[in-house]
């Protein structure tokens, strides 16, 4: 079994047969506030539009989601990059689980 492990103040282990949470950018746009950091413990998909300038960290992004976020002036990060940038996890909102 091929497993990926990411440590964020504990262990999050995802195996290949587990499905990731999937969040569309329309949901991020609906619930996020401008300049907020959004954490998605899964995949961000490109359905919808984004009008707010947010920072989004996720395990993975679809190509269309990444393009739409970047074109809207948002910042796109991996969870590992966010952990280095903000190790305390302050001022973040988790969407998904």
């Amino acid at each position: 079994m091929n497993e990926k492990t990411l440590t964020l103040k504990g262990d999050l282990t995802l195996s290949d047969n587990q499905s990731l949470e999937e969040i569309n950018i329309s949901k991020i746009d609906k619930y996020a506030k401008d300049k907020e950091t959004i954490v998605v413990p899964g995949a961000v998909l490109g359905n919808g539009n984004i009008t707010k300038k947010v920072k989004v960290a996720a395990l993975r992004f679809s190509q269309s989601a990444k393009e739409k976020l970047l074109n809207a002036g948002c910042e796109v990060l991996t969870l590992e990059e966010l952990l280095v940038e903000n190790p305390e996890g302050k001022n973040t909102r988790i969407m998904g689980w």
Side-chain angles (χ1 to χ4, degrees):
M1 180 180 344
N2 181 15
E3 290 189 347
K4 300 174 186 176
T5 302
L6 174 65
T7 302
L8 298 169
K9 292 192 177 190
D11 285 334
L12 169 64
T13 304
L14 300 170
S15 64
D16 288 340
N17 63 350
Q18 289 177 301
S19 62
L20 296 175
E21 185 72 27
E22 294 180 339
I23 302 293
N24 281 297
I25 60 172
S26 59
K27 183 174 181 181
I28 294 171
D29 192 63
K30 182 176 181 178
Y31 294 107
K33 298 175 187 167
D34 265 333
K35 300 180 183 173
E36 189 171 36
T37 299
I38 303 300
V39 177
V40 178
V44 178
L45 304 178
N47 188 29
N49 294 304
I50 186 89
T51 60
K52 298 172 182 152
K53 296 208 183 316
V54 293
K55 184 182 297 187
V56 182
L59 287 174
R60 105 176 165 74
F61 294 86
S62 71
Q63 186 62 36
S64 63
K66 192 171 187 177
E67 288 173 3
K68 287 181 179 183
L69 288 165
L70 293 173
N71 288 337
C74 299
E75 191 174 345
V76 174
L77 302 167
T78 64
L79 292 179
E80 293 88 351
E81 291 169 334
L82 181 63
L83 185 59
V84 169
E85 183 179 295
N86 184 2
E88 298 297 319
K90 292 183 180 181
N91 301 315
T92 61
R93 179 187 305 242
I94 298 173
M95 288 192 174
W97 292 327

